[in-house]
Amino acid sequence: QVAGIVADKLCAGVRGCEFQHGGSRVPITVSGGVAQFGGVDTVAQVFERADAALYRSKHKGRDQWNFAE
């Protein structure tokens, strides 16, 4: 639950940043994947699950995060 709160705040913070290019505002968003270590997980396994969750976020429309399955 804490990771979800942090991810929501991160998305909102990035979305609220003002970035200008050529005199026009350029919207910036962030997508992410959140994974949790289990008792027997390797670092590689956790990163694989987080990466899969990241790509789910991007495919669902970006500017969001998803928990790993």
Side-chain angles (χ1 to χ4, degrees):
Q1 290 180 346
V2 173
I5 293 168
V6 172
D8 283 337
K9 288 182 179 185
L10 178 63
C11 285
V14 170
R15 188 181 321 113
C17 289
E18 290 289 327
F19 183 75
Q20 299 279 328
H21 179 72
S24 298
R25 184 179 188 279
V26 178
I28 300 174
T29 62
V30 65
S31 298
V34 178
Q36 179 175 325
F37 273 98
V40 295
D41 289 328
T42 66
V43 172
Q45 290 170 322
V46 174
F47 274 99
E48 284 177 20
R49 290 198 313 269
D51 193 50
L54 164 64
Y55 281 94
R56 248 190 343 273
S57 296
K58 289 183 175 188
H59 291 304
K60 288 183 172 182
R62 302 184 183 214
D63 194 27
Q64 60 182 285
W65 59 271
N66 283 279
F67 280 114
E69 294 178 354

